[in-house]
Amino acid sequence: MNRKESLIDLLIHDLTGPLSIASTSINNLINKQDKYGPVTARQRTTLNMALRNINKASTFLNEIIEVYRSEEGLFRKDFCSIRDILRDAFIEAMELVYPDVTEKLSGEESYDKFVQFLEDNGVAIDITGKYSRSSFCHDKIKIQQILRNLITNALKYRRKKMAITVSGDTELVIAIENDGSGMPREKQDVIFNRFSHLKENEDNNMKGLGFGLSCVKTIIETMNGNITVSSSEGGGTRFTIQIPSL
């Protein structure tokens, strides 16, 4: 292990504890008012905002951990429903982009109502092929991380709509596209570079380090899969992933 890897391992270790303590403390203030005292509506709003940001930091930290697990060839063998993974990934992505509607979305127990809620908000889902009926065998956490990142990007950069199609009878094939402003060829060439900054729309204030897409590419490649991007200026963006079953 080199010095850089040791430093990252230490950083992960030192951040996990404080984030967990902060999350537990805030949850106690919100949910155990008989012990810690009453919380006003304004205080609850502030605490919930702090908790959401702690969860975002924890998600980012977990993504780093999963990248390192992937690079070490560590995979869980799960038989999982693609519909369930897609649902969980969407809820996590909506929490990051549209936190105000997440509670309503997560409360939809019926899958059909869940899909209808998304359609009402400009999101189309189409699942066909073998994995619309059968479980897919691979690391559930990693697949969910991949989808969360790609869904988050699509939600951020769409104008009004996005679509997800799931297919495949051997490999799992998922395409995620948005109707955003798209990107020129030179940006497509660097989009998966770690910490690259990509701003598809000059009028869009959302900025990012590009770390998420780098993580996605690394994980998919260690799963012996593939990811491609297709885009044109003014024509939206489409990411397609292919992952073989374990």
Side-chain angles (χ1 to χ4, degrees):
M1 182 181 293
N2 60 38
R3 184 177 181 182
K4 180 180 178 181
E5 290 173 333
S6 298
L7 179 61
I8 293 174
D9 285 348
L10 182 63
L11 181 63
I12 291 172
H13 179 269
D14 286 350
L15 284 175
T16 301
L19 285 172
S20 177
I21 292 171
S23 177
T24 300
S25 299
I26 292 175
N27 272 307
N28 284 340
L29 289 174
I30 295 173
N31 300 315
K32 296 183 178 180
Q33 295 184 41
D34 55 333
K35 180 176 181 180
Y36 295 98
V39 175
T40 66
R42 182 175 295 182
Q43 289 171 335
R44 179 181 290 273
T45 298
T46 302
L47 289 170
N48 282 328
M49 183 185 300
L51 190 58
R52 284 197 299 270
N53 281 280
I54 290 172
N55 290 337
K56 288 179 184 179
S58 296
T59 296
F60 183 70
L61 183 60
N62 288 331
E63 289 190 352
I64 297 175
I65 293 172
E66 286 304 317
V67 169
Y68 274 87
R69 286 179 56 86
S70 297
E71 291 176 341
E72 293 297 322
L74 300 174
F75 297 97
R76 306 165 188 84
K77 189 173 183 179
D78 304 314
F79 288 90
C80 44
S81 163
I82 294 302
R83 285 187 176 186
D84 290 346
I85 293 177
L86 194 58
R87 176 191 173 97
D88 291 343
F90 242 111
I91 291 173
E92 290 178 351
M94 293 290 277
E95 174 66 32
L96 295 172
V97 184
Y98 305 118
D100 292 342
V101 302
T102 304
E103 185 175 349
K104 183 176 181 180
L105 180 64
S106 60
E108 294 289 0
E109 296 182 2
S110 163
Y111 180 78
D112 290 339
K113 290 183 178 180
F114 174 81
V115 171
Q116 186 61 55
F117 179 91
L118 293 179
E119 288 181 357
D120 293 342
N121 287 274
V123 179
I125 297 178
D126 184 28
I127 303 178
T128 61
K130 176 180 178 180
Y131 303 114
S132 65
R133 308 176 302 275
S134 304
S135 297
F136 181 68
C137 181
H138 218 305
D139 192 320
K140 178 181 178 180
I141 291 177
K142 289 181 173 60
I143 296 173
Q144 189 165 318
Q145 178 177 339
I146 291 166
L147 291 179
R148 180 181 64 246
N149 273 284
L150 295 178
I151 291 169
T152 299
N153 273 357
L155 289 172
K156 282 183 178 180
Y157 293 113
R158 67 175 179 164
R159 288 191 178 101
K160 294 182 179 180
K161 298 180 180 180
M162 65 170 286
I164 298 179
T165 58
V166 179
S167 60
D169 289 316
T170 52
E171 291 185 322
L172 175 66
V173 181
I174 302 178
I176 299 177
E177 58 184 313
N178 67 73
D179 65 347
S181 59
M183 51 185 154
R185 177 73 258 176
E186 60 269 20
K187 286 190 176 181
Q188 295 177 49
D189 291 338
V190 300
I191 193 173
F192 296 110
N193 291 351
R194 189 163 292 180
F195 300 121
S196 67
H197 173 69
L198 178 66
K199 185 167 65 173
E200 294 183 10
N201 188 336
E202 293 299 327
D203 296 326
N204 194 329
N205 292 322
M206 294 184 182
K207 299 180 180 180
L209 295 173
F211 187 72
L213 288 176
S214 171
C215 288
V216 165
K217 183 176 175 63
T218 297
I219 292 174
I220 289 175
E221 289 182 345
T222 58
M223 298 168 88
N224 295 318
N226 183 51
I227 181 169
T228 58
V229 58
S230 174
S231 184
S232 60
E233 290 187 82
T237 301
R238 178 186 180 97
F239 288 94
T240 303
I241 65 173
Q242 296 169 281
I243 301 174
S245 177
L246 279 179

